[in-house]
Amino acid sequence: MSQTTTTPPSAPAEASNRVTLGWSNRLLARPEVGALVAAIVIFIFFLVVAPAFRSPASFFTVLYQSSTIGIVAVAVGMLMIGGEFDLSAGVIVTTAGLVNAMFCYQLGINLIVGAVLSLVVSLAIGFLNGYLVVRTGIPSFLITLGTFFVLQGANLGVTKLVTGSVSTPNINQMAGYGTLDAIFASSFKVGSVTVEITVIWWFLFVALSAFVLQRTRIGNWIYAVGGNADSARAVGVPVKAVKIGLFMTVSFLGWFIGMHTLYKFDTLQAGNGIGNEFLYIIAAVVGGTLLTGGFGNAIGVAIGAFIFGMTSLCIVYAGWDPNWFRAFLGVMLLLAVMVNLYVKRLSTARKVG
């Protein structure tokens, strides 16, 4: 007599709440895609309307212009992903150069010593910004706006008190100048074009930022803090340390560009840098970084900086009134915010019920 074994039916699989997006939606959900499309369109447009842009030399000039904004924008983008702002980033650049130049000129010491002191001062400013934000709970917008005004006044007041003018003395004959100039402001030839060293530094900083954000625990912490600081704290993320570290990163790259500006031109105006903080933020937002935090990446910020550099110079190459550049920035910012919100919805799509 044979016995029939009946296999009980398997339990139905639990329904997933996540929408399965097609490849096109998955592509669009990447933060940098909107900026990349915009960059390609603008690039082709200026190739057509600005013949001067078609030369390799002009393209590398655009890359240099982009790098001077893009280096600091790398750190500003990371800070915004972490849910904070730094409105003092532009004047930190100038403060760093002023400290280096005036300290060494007045005391007659090696510029390398002054550069190290300038780095310490810059990092201290970043630490103070971050500490006040996490300690007081006051929005970073207000804390760093206060820092902006303090540094702006100190840059002008101290420079005039020490030098009798609003600019630093020429430093190109001082000890240590050659070494620092080679690090921060040198250039080299590739065929017939000149490549500024800041372009190479920009690529390296973008690559390092991309690695940190996408491949390390610290990167996960940054996204978690920007997405929801309370939830991140609940699972053991050191929220205060992450935020202070991000503010110090902004100050470090601000110091770096301050050194470049000083050694590129050998002197520095105390009023420089005002307004650049908005350019860093615009580069990050155009590159796909959300103002609300928790979303964005380094490649998108780099593309945003490239769009800035390309537009600022190509308007001139095309022979147009450069005053239109600010209007273009405003339009780009509004469009970027709307595109970023749409992309964010795609990346977080869920089924209802």
Side-chain angles (χ1 to χ4, degrees), residues 69 87-95 148 152 155 257 261 268-280:
I69 294 297
L87 296 182
S88 65
V91 289
I92 286 175
V93 170
T94 304
T95 300
F148 165 84
Q152 180 187 7
N155 287 349
I257 287 298
T261 305
L268 197 60
Q269 295 291 322
N272 285 357
I274 297 173
N276 283 355
E277 59 278 349
F278 295 111
L279 301 182
Y280 307 143

Side-chain angles (χ1 to χ4, degrees), residues 321-344:
D321 183 351
N323 290 319
W324 285 106
F325 172 63
R326 298 289 175 175
F328 174 84
L329 278 184
V331 172
M332 283 298 300
L333 181 60
L334 291 174
L335 290 176
V337 169
M338 291 186 287
V339 169
N340 291 348
L341 288 175
Y342 173 72
V343 167
K344 178 64 174 178

Side-chain angles (χ1 to χ4, degrees), residues 72 75-80 83-93 122-123 125-130 133 139-148 151 243-254 275-282:
V72 184
V76 170
M78 293 178 70
L79 179 65
M80 290 174 63
E84 303 292 349
F85 291 91
D86 191 344
L87 296 182
S88 65
V91 289
I92 286 175
V93 170
S122 298
L123 292 177
I125 294 170
F127 175 84
L128 182 61
N129 280 339
V133 168
S140 56
F141 177 90
L142 295 176
I143 293 289
T144 58
L145 182 62
T147 306
F148 165 84
L151 293 179
K243 290 193 175 188
I244 291 174
L246 289 172
F247 277 105
M248 293 179 72
T249 301
V250 173
S251 292
F252 169 72
L253 291 185
N276 283 355
E277 59 278 349
F278 295 111
L279 301 182
Y280 307 143
I281 293 172
I282 288 171

Side-chain angles (χ1 to χ4, degrees), residues 143-259:
I143 293 289
T144 58
L145 182 62
T147 306
F148 165 84
F149 284 118
V150 170
L151 293 179
Q152 180 187 7
N155 287 349
L156 291 166
V158 174
T159 304
K160 191 165 186 179
L161 179 66
V162 173
T163 68
S165 68
V166 293
S167 63
T168 65
N170 193 301
I171 61 167
N172 62 10
Q173 299 301 316
M174 297 176 63
Y177 175 85
T179 300
L180 294 174
D181 180 71
I183 295 172
F184 295 108
S186 61
S187 60
F188 56 93
K189 286 281 190 179
V190 176
S192 61
V193 300
T194 300
V195 181
E196 298 288 342
I197 194 67
T198 52
V199 174
I200 306 302
W201 282 116
W202 179 36
F203 291 163
L204 290 175
F205 286 134
V206 170
L208 179 60
S209 175
F211 176 79
V212 169
L213 287 173
Q214 303 298 327
R215 302 294 182 183
T216 69
R217 177 182 297 179
I218 294 175
N220 291 334
W221 288 349
I222 292 171
Y223 282 108
V225 168
N228 190 315
D230 292 333
S231 297
R233 188 178 294 108
V235 296
V237 174
V239 173
K240 293 181 179 180
V242 169
K243 290 193 175 188
I244 291 174
L246 289 172
F247 277 105
M248 293 179 72
T249 301
V250 173
S251 292
F252 169 72
L253 291 185
W255 167 81
F256 193 95
I257 287 298
M259 295 299 96

Side-chain angles (χ1 to χ4, degrees), residues 19-39:
V19 172
T20 302
L21 299 176
W23 69 267
S24 59
N25 280 349
R26 290 199 301 271
L27 180 64
L28 288 173
R30 294 191 59 82
E32 72 275 17
V33 169
L36 179 60
V37 172

